[in-house]
Amino acid sequence: MSAPERIPPRRVSPQELLAEGELTVRGRISGASNAVLYCTVEHEGVSAACVYKPVAGERPLWDFPDGTLAQREVAAYELSEAMGWGLIPPTVLRDGPYGEGMCQLWIEASAEDSELLALVDGEEPEPGWKAVGLADVGEERTALLVHADDERLRRLAVLDAVINNGDRKGGHLLPAADGRLYAIDHGVTFNADDKLRTLLWGWAGEPLTEEAMEALRRLSANLADGGPLAGRLAELLTAAEIDALRARVAELLRTGRHREPSGQWPAIPWPPV
């Protein structure tokens, strides 16, 4: 008699693991303005570390009166996936030990690929770097804030312009050991008013790459009324915010250039980390 055929274990996707797995809180991440809990999640023999941000731990924001920060985090992930760049770790909205919240796969940053931002002397960046602007470093001294001329950051600059990110800081950039760059903390996004505030202004006014233009064209089609992405976002954002999102995508396609500071809102977050 032949041996019974072994059935390989079913592959569990990160999204299924985060949404369906048993969530166990292991500790709280200090220094965050809202509740951020470090957790593990386990489902069908697969486990991973993750971050859980319960809605109950969010501080109210006067300029984001509708919805929740957790919903905006999920919407940002959905946009990143629709653009095909995978810049945001898998993120879902689910119930947890402290109620509904955002659950996101934990990304361990690699110390070997951390040179993305710097403060340097002089008025011009070195080759391989892009200038953001002068920063006050104390004792009546200034230094030039620069970021790497890195294609991963350039994609993120486009994504931030699309989602209207009001808080892109250096500490939100996580280079992984496999060479990928991930971005986190997208609670203050998708405002209907222009709130773009970022450290990634080095390409401001420059032509968008053809890759970026193609991603924007694909996104524009996916945002059409009746499409699955538009339907999903309608569960997370207001109608006015979705209309403003479509307008931002259309404007980037019209100009074919990276966003520039509007002059009506602080362009750089503070503190920058």
Side-chain angles (χ1 to χ4, degrees):
M1 179 182 293
S2 60
E5 182 181 355
R6 295 188 63 185
I7 301 176
R10 187 174 69 87
R11 185 178 182 274
V12 177
S13 70
Q15 293 83 357
E16 180 184 352
L17 175 63
L18 293 170
E20 304 295 334
E22 181 179 354
L23 196 60
T24 303
V25 176
R26 303 296 183 183
R28 180 167 182 170
I29 298 174
S30 61
S33 55
N34 298 286
V36 182
L37 304 176
Y38 177 76
C39 302
T40 54
V41 62
E42 193 276 333
H43 183 59
E44 295 190 4
V46 179
S47 62
C50 62
V51 169
Y52 164 52
K53 298 182 181 180
V55 172
E58 295 180 2
R59 291 191 311 168
L61 298 175
W62 67 268
D63 50 348
F64 288 86
D66 300 306
T68 66
L69 304 186
Q71 289 173 296
R72 296 172 191 281
E73 295 248 31
V74 176
Y77 168 71
E78 297 281 355
L79 262 290
S80 172
E81 291 300 289
M83 295 183 77
W85 287 338
L87 290 167
I88 298 176
T91 310
V92 303
L93 196 66
R94 60 162 292 169
D95 285 330
Y98 299 102
E100 185 177 68
M102 179 278 276
C103 189
Q104 184 176 82
L105 194 68
W106 177 268
I107 300 297
E108 197 67 46
S110 171
E112 296 181 2
D113 189 16
S114 58
E115 290 299 317
L116 297 174
L117 296 159
L119 286 168
V120 299
D121 293 325
E123 298 181 355
E124 296 293 333
E126 296 290 329
W129 294 86
K130 305 288 284 186
V132 178
L134 292 173
D136 184 355
V137 293
E139 298 181 356
E140 300 184 354
R141 290 183 60 248
T142 60
L144 185 65
L145 177 62
V146 298
H147 63 67
D149 188 3
D150 186 307
E151 197 59 38
R152 300 169 302 172
L153 289 181
R154 190 167 191 171
R155 293 180 186 129
L156 186 57
V158 178
L159 176 64
D160 281 344
V162 168
I163 66 177
N164 197 16
N165 193 349
D167 193 33
R168 172 61 70 215
K169 296 178 179 177
H172 302 165
L173 307 176
L174 301 179
D178 62 1
R180 294 184 62 178
L181 177 69
Y182 292 94
I184 60 172
D185 287 349
H186 297 97
V188 287
T189 51
F190 295 102
N191 201 296
D193 297 327
D194 184 2
K195 298 281 188 179
L196 184 57
R197 191 167 59 168
T198 174
L199 294 178
L200 304 179
W201 288 115
W203 296 281
E206 293 187 15
L208 294 166
T209 65
E210 181 52 38
E211 178 197 40
M213 292 293 288
E214 179 56 33
L216 289 166
R217 286 190 285 266
R218 185 167 57 248
L219 179 60
S220 179
N222 288 337
L223 286 171
D225 281 333
L229 179 59
R232 177 69 179 122
L233 293 180
E235 301 172 356
L236 302 167
L237 306 171
T238 68
E241 289 165 343
I242 294 174
D243 286 343
L245 166 63
R246 291 178 175 133
R248 289 191 298 271
V249 173
E251 181 66 8
L252 287 167
L253 285 170
R254 184 189 69 80
T255 65
R257 293 184 177 275
H258 284 270
R259 274 288 315 274
E260 297 185 81
S262 67
Q264 300 177 354
W265 177 256
I268 297 176
W270 192 262
V273 295

